[in-house]
Amino acid sequence: MTISDTTVKPQSQSRGSLLLMLSRYGTFLAFLALIVFNIIVTPNFLSWQTLNVNLTQVATIVIVATGMTLVIATGGIDLSVGSLMAISGAVAPMIFMGTLFPINSPALAVALAFTIPILIAMGLGWFNGFLVTRFAIQPIVATLVLFIAGRGIAQVITNGNLQVFKNDIFQFIAMGRVAGIPTQVALMLVIAALAFCLIRFTVIGRQIIAVGGNEKAARLTGIPVRHVKTVVYVISGGLAGLAGLIVVARNSASDANLVGMGMELDAIAAVAVGGSLLTGGRANIIGTLLGALVIQLVRYTLLANGVPDAAALIVKAALIIIAVFIQQRADKS
């Protein structure tokens, strides 16, 4: 062994250790850095109003990104989530306002307005999984079908009209509070916790990771690969449907042209920044939550300090590139 060999090896090992540390804790460090920066620079950052605004803005992204994390963990992708939000958000008001069919009981109407749209979204998620598993269509192509057609379906359902409403019971999902916590934030935390437990402590959670890590090996060990893939698309669809309900309830209106627009990109960005491998085999739910918070805080920081919102899109793209670069280099080291 030469002197140059002994010199290069420790350097490469230290570089690999640094990249590994960044891949594991980089999102959390970025989150802390943003908080410290805003405490120093941004006025009233520590106010309850600021906390409330940021958490309510990020809640739907985390809910959708949680489902996206499970899909990506299997080696897939789901581009249809924004369109499924639009469908869910279009159907719900039509139910409790009696546009689809008359319902005499207001309580029953609201219950159905919560249930039916989510079931529809789950059914469309199953359709995505069916295309992926039965016809071996690449996930990006299979979900592109509903990405395009789904919003068209929502527009057809509503005839392209804006649905304006006021229903305190239905809107509790976005405007209410549970133990002082905004309902949508409480839902976000519960869903993230359930997904975390699913991945860490259940058989299907381990199967999801196995399928994404090596699908062929997973199939040879007896894992029902088709079933696992279908399940994650159904979950992703259901969570997108729930997010659609929250958005229209928060806005007191349903616009099929705008609900869920760009959500698929925000969800994928949260997953990437959060440290989950976009090639599958890893599902970091806590990372996804932190990734969504980092993206939201970047946007808030720029706006609060007079930077145009368009700049946040550039920063978001840079964050994705950096996150993916660190993941790739850490895996190679």
Side-chain angles (χ1 to χ4, degrees):
M1 180 180 294
T2 64
I3 296 177
S4 60
D5 290 334
T6 58
T7 303
V8 171
K9 190 172 181 180
Q11 289 179 346
S12 62
Q13 286 178 343
S14 61
R15 191 185 304 117
S17 299
L18 177 62
L19 289 169
L20 184 61
M21 186 189 72
L22 286 175
S23 68
R24 289 181 177 177
Y25 307 111
T27 309
F28 180 69
L29 293 174
F31 177 65
L32 287 181
L34 282 167
I35 289 177
V36 172
F37 177 84
N38 279 287
I39 290 174
I40 296 171
V41 174
T42 307
N44 301 317
F45 177 72
L46 293 178
S47 67
W48 167 250
Q49 183 180 4
T50 299
L51 178 64
N52 184 67
V53 166
N54 281 295
L55 287 178
T56 52
Q57 287 292 324
V58 84
T60 50
I61 298 175
V62 173
I63 290 171
V64 176
T66 298
M68 186 71 75
T69 302
L70 300 179
V71 172
I72 288 176
T74 64
I77 198 81
D78 189 354
L79 298 181
S80 70
V81 290
S83 296
L84 297 189
M85 287 177 64
I87 293 173
S88 176
V91 171
M94 299 179 73
I95 294 174
F96 65 72
M97 291 192 299
T99 307
L100 286 181
F101 45 82
I103 303 175
N104 295 326
S105 170
L108 177 60
V110 171
L112 292 176
F114 281 126
T115 306
I116 293 176
I118 292 177
L119 290 176
I120 291 173
M122 292 175 69
L124 293 172
W126 174 87
F127 176 74
N128 284 333
F130 180 78
L131 294 181
V132 170
T133 59
R134 299 295 175 178
F135 294 100
I137 299 175
Q138 290 183 344
I140 194 170
V141 177
T143 58
L144 188 64
V145 173
L146 281 176
F147 171 81
I148 298 170
R151 194 164 297 278
I153 292 170
Q155 292 168 343
V156 168
I157 291 172
T158 61
N159 291 320
N161 296 323
L162 176 68
Q163 299 183 91
V164 181
F165 57 85
K166 188 179 188 306
N167 187 306
D168 292 336
I169 301 175
F170 175 77
Q171 290 181 268
F172 182 82
I173 194 173
M175 313 294 282
R177 291 182 179 275
V178 177
I181 302 173
T183 309
Q184 55 189 309
V185 176
L187 284 171
M188 172 192 78
L189 296 174
V190 169
I191 288 168
L194 289 174
F196 176 82
C197 293
L198 176 75
I199 291 296
R200 281 294 185 93
F201 306 118
T202 68
V203 173
I204 193 168
R206 291 189 288 272
Q207 290 176 340
I208 288 171
I209 302 303
V211 169
N214 191 322
E215 183 176 329
K216 185 176 179 180
R219 186 175 286 107
L220 290 174
T221 58
I223 293 175
V225 173
R226 287 183 177 180
H227 173 73
V228 171
K229 286 187 173 184
T230 302
V231 166
V232 295
Y233 282 102
V234 170
I235 293 173
S236 180
L239 293 179
L242 174 61
L245 299 183
I246 293 173
V247 169
V248 298
R250 186 169 60 209
N251 296 336
S252 301
S254 172
D255 187 347
N257 300 302
L258 296 178
V259 174
M261 183 67 71
M263 180 59 78
E264 57 284 332
L265 301 181
D266 285 337
I268 294 170
V271 176
V273 173
S276 294
L277 292 175
L278 296 182
T279 53
R282 184 188 300 169
N284 189 343
I285 301 296
I286 303 301
T288 295
L289 174 63
L290 287 173
L293 287 170
V294 165
I295 292 171
Q296 171 60 27
L297 275 178
V298 165
R299 182 172 181 269
Y300 173 84
T301 302
L302 294 175
L303 289 174
N305 291 278
V307 180
D309 194 25
L313 299 176
I314 300 172
V315 176
K316 186 190 299 183
L319 286 173
I320 295 172
I321 293 172
I322 293 170
V324 173
F325 174 79
I326 290 173
Q327 289 175 15
Q328 290 179 339
R329 294 303 296 257
D331 288 341
K332 290 179 180 179
S333 62

